[in-house]
Amino acid sequence: MKSRYSIFSLLRNALSYHEHWPQAWRSPEPKSSYDVVIVGAGGHGLATAYYLAKEHGITDVAVIERGWLGGGNTGRNTTIVRSNYLWDESAQLYEHALKLWEGLSRELNYNVMFSQRGVMNLAHNQHDLRELSRRINANRLNGVDSEFLSPDQVKRFCPVIDLRAGGRYPVLGASLQRRGGTARHDAVAWGYARAADARGVDIIQQCPVQGFKVESGRIRGVETAKGTIEARKVGIVVAGHSSVLAGMAGFRLPVTSLPLQALVSEPVKPVIDCVVMSGAVHAYISQSDKGELVIGAGVDKYVGYGQRGSLPVTEETLAAICELFPLFRRMRMLRNWGGIVDTCPDASPIISKTPVEGLYINCGWGTGGFKATPGSGWVFAHTIAKDEPHPLNAGFGLDRFTSGYLIDEHGAAAVAH
Amino acid sequence: MLLITCPHCGPREETEFSYGGEAHIERPRQPDRMSDAEWADYLFMKSNTKGVFLERWLHSHGCRRWFNAARDTVTYEILAVYEIGTKPPALDPRDYV
């Protein structure tokens, strides 16, 4: 058992100049076989491993990662957490995740800095208003907290916003989810990694998958750069590279990989204490605890795997931010980057069995996977352990593209694609 | 910013173009005889290639004509442009894992 993090361990380690903290997780060489292999050590993959061990007692698990832990979209997103989705299936899935978020730091004994500062979605025209009202009503029927703010209330909730927005994007109202907010994205990966490792899960980095071992329609293992790893069950949680891995296993996905960009400004004193999102103008903004403004931009329209995006996309977003928040006009941006998001035709994820027996896939989170990290891992662990989906993710199977039962969340997804 | 060579207008900036997704997807010849699975494959499943990808572009703020392009989806390099209705030029595959 690992030493617990607490005020006392902090004090004790302060006495030795913080030079003797134990490592948070091991870096073992892979064994020749495991019960379950999870491909992808991002937040979703590590959460899956953690819940496999905790909820289902399956501890003979390896999480393999081609790069470094949490180095993909987990470390690249804009850290927003909310659950105000339109349809029953999504509302329940994201709400389950939000409830797990609320106890996550305590559960993992790792401060994920979850801050329920409130997420506001703006309406700029009559259609936005109707769409927003519909979604607020749907949320409330599903037990998801959501309320309507008039322009005056918006101004009171977020004083730095310009309601006229230069006349270009007038703010006519907003929805507010007070339980929504932000979390420290890296800490989520690290916290799950440490907690999973403590339960016996092997986390193997720098180990790209080169193929799958499939015999008569059943998964037998994974071919990796560190040799063949046999496994009874394999879960794929690799976001942007889902189609590539599905291709190795011999099936196709309805997923398009697109570069999604984000950027941060120079750090400043606290100026915006909530999350403001606007789907209509493709801009969302919050302030990190370091003081940087964290700004999410849109997706490039073309297929890309290069983890970088095009300048016109960020330009459009910053133009909208400058209209909505005139006081940010002279801020300088420190860095911008891109991640590859796996978008689905209905902007909803796929958490499903696959045509290969014993092979499971969790993908298609598109532009909004971070908020679902705990819930995604929780239902995916159930799907793998029981070989059937949990009621919460039963609607999110690959078969919905054949049945036509799509879960269209383009309105709630906030980034158009 | 991509510099895309429209076969009709020459090199222009990316912002003048709209994207049309994967090229050479054939419409079903006998739609009334297709199974749900075949419809799903036609309507929703994507190649989403990592490597050389054949795709359609529309020069919407120019000549407003469609054309095809072969692009490396990792380097974003445009390897060839060719007219709608013609076969793609022979290109070396680029394998990325």
Side-chain angles (χ1 to χ4, degrees):
Chain A
M1 189 62 198
K2 291 218 156 56
S3 65
R4 277 184 63 80
Y5 292 159
S6 67
I7 182 72
F8 304 108
S9 69
L10 192 63
L11 290 173
R12 203 166 50 245
N13 280 281
L15 295 176
S16 54
Y17 302 97
H18 296 293
E19 283 173 358
H20 302 296
W21 283 102
Q23 60 178 6
W25 53 82
R26 301 161 294 129
S27 296
E29 283 302 304
K31 295 193 291 181
S32 61
S33 87
Y34 289 92
D35 259 359
V36 180
V37 168
I38 304 292
V39 184
H44 291 233
L46 293 163
T48 307
Y50 170 72
Y51 291 115
L52 272 173
K54 186 196 165 215
E55 304 284 340
H56 306 283
I58 302 172
T59 54
D60 188 24
V61 177
V63 184
I64 58 177
E65 164 61 46
R66 81 182 201 134
W68 66 95
L69 187 156
N73 295 347
T74 301
R76 291 164 195 263
N77 63 77
T78 50
T79 78
I80 298 168
V81 176
R82 60 189 172 91
S83 66
N84 53 354
Y85 279 68
L86 178 65
W87 299 105
D88 295 354
E89 292 87 347
S90 332
Q92 282 158 20
L93 181 64
Y94 289 101
E95 180 62 16
H96 180 64
L98 183 51
K99 284 181 178 152
L100 289 171
W101 276 111
E102 286 172 333
L104 198 60
S105 291
R106 185 174 292 263
E107 163 153 9
L108 298 179
N109 178 227
Y110 203 103
N111 187 3
V112 299
M113 295 164 75
F114 182 46
S115 153
Q116 293 179 294
R117 56 183 70 180
V119 175
M120 203 161 63
N121 289 70
L122 303 179
H124 300 292
N125 53 47
Q126 291 300 326
H127 178 78
D128 283 355
L129 273 180
R130 272 182 228 128
E131 171 79 29
L132 222 57
S133 312
R134 179 190 181 201
R135 190 136 61 84
I136 291 169
N137 289 331
N139 289 158
R140 297 174 80 118
L141 286 172
N142 271 316
V144 175
D145 77 301
S146 192
E147 58 194 271
F148 182 79
L149 298 187
S150 68
D152 285 350
Q153 291 169 310
V154 170
K155 187 72 182 169
R156 236 172 296 147
F157 191 70
C158 181
V160 292
I161 202 164
D162 175 9
L163 294 177
R164 282 185 56 253
R168 200 170 162 198
Y169 308 117
V171 177
L172 304 184
S175 73
L176 171 64
Q177 184 174 24
R178 291 187 191 272
R179 284 163 63 240
T182 59
R184 169 99 162 87
H185 50 4
D186 295 323
V188 177
W190 297 336
Y192 271 120
R194 175 168 168 273
D197 179 271
R199 288 175 185 267
V201 171
D202 284 357
I203 299 164
I204 298 149
Q205 304 180 62
Q206 308 284 331
C207 181
V209 167
Q210 294 163 339
F212 292 101
K213 212 168 125 186
V214 179
E215 280 168 20
S216 51
R218 201 185 154 83
I219 196 83
R220 295 288 174 204
V222 187
E223 316 277 359
T224 75
K226 298 193 176 184
T228 304
I229 304 173
E230 310 229 318
R232 224 160 39 80
K233 294 177 176 179
V234 175
I236 302 175
V237 207
V238 294
H241 277 73
S242 298
S243 300
V244 178
L245 265 80
M248 289 177 187
F251 61 95
R252 269 152 63 87
L253 290 174
V255 161
T256 307
S257 296
L258 303 172
L260 176 66
Q261 295 184 77
L263 54 167
V264 295
S265 73
E266 58 193 331
V268 289
K269 286 182 178 174
V271 60
I272 177 167
D273 64 355
C274 59
V275 180
V276 180
M277 311 182 65
S278 170
V281 298
H282 268 219
Y284 36 111
I285 190 165
S286 63
Q287 190 172 19
S288 75
D289 293 352
K290 285 185 285 183
E292 300 159 332
L293 297 177
V294 182
I295 298 171
V299 288
D300 279 294
K301 54 200 169 192
Y302 42 81
V303 175
Y305 285 88
Q307 290 189 320
R308 64 187 181 283
S310 196
L311 199 56
V313 174
T314 40
E315 196 182 353
E316 197 186 320
T317 295
L318 289 176
I321 293 284
C322 289
E323 298 282 351
L324 285 167
F325 304 95
L327 84 166
F328 295 154
R329 281 187 180 171
R330 289 193 294 163
M331 296 276 287
R332 282 163 297 194
M333 292 298 138
L334 270 191
R335 337 179 264 285
N336 72 326
W337 63 90
I340 302 305
V341 297
D342 42 338
T343 58
C344 256
D346 57 355
S348 284
I350 298 165
I351 314 161
S352 179
K353 298 169 77 164
T354 69
V356 180
E357 219 180 310
L359 181 66
Y360 308 84
I361 194 153
N362 184 349
C363 69
W365 291 95
T367 58
F370 176 72
K371 66 175 78 70
T373 304
S376 161
W378 196 91
V379 295
F380 196 43
H382 183 282
T383 308
I384 293 173
K386 309 278 187 216
D387 193 37
E388 62 179 14
H390 188 274
L392 281 173
N393 67 315
F396 294 94
L398 254 179
D399 53 356
R400 74 175 187 268
F401 297 96
T402 309
S403 68
Y405 200 100
L406 302 186
I407 304 164
D408 184 358
E409 288 291 0
H410 282 283
V415 179
H417 52 79
Chain B
M1 176 82 85
L2 299 180
L3 193 62
I4 302 172
T5 306
C6 168
H8 311 291
C9 309
R12 300 294 183 91
E13 286 179 0
E14 168 191 334
T15 44
E16 291 190 13
F17 296 85
S18 314
Y19 188 59
E22 190 171 349
H24 307 293
I25 295 177
E26 220 179 300
R27 273 175 177 274
R29 281 165 196 268
Q30 293 180 307
D32 49 337
R33 296 209 188 148
M34 273 164 67
S35 68
D36 288 353
E38 286 166 329
W39 272 116
D41 195 67
Y42 168 66
L43 286 174
F44 296 120
M45 299 300 157
K46 321 262 187 199
S47 300
N48 200 24
T49 310
K50 186 180 187 184
V52 179
F53 189 52
L54 305 177
E55 60 193 14
R56 301 174 303 174
W57 287 87
L58 169 64
H59 194 186
S60 37
H61 297 286
C63 61
R64 299 207 267 169
R65 285 206 268 179
W66 285 94
F67 60 94
N68 291 330
R71 189 173 55 91
D72 184 322
T73 56
V74 177
T75 63
Y76 302 168
E77 198 180 342
I78 294 173
L79 305 167
V81 289
Y82 55 102
E83 286 190 40
I84 288 282
T86 60
K87 288 216 156 56
L91 294 164
D92 293 333
R94 296 186 173 187
D95 283 330
Y96 299 97
V97 174

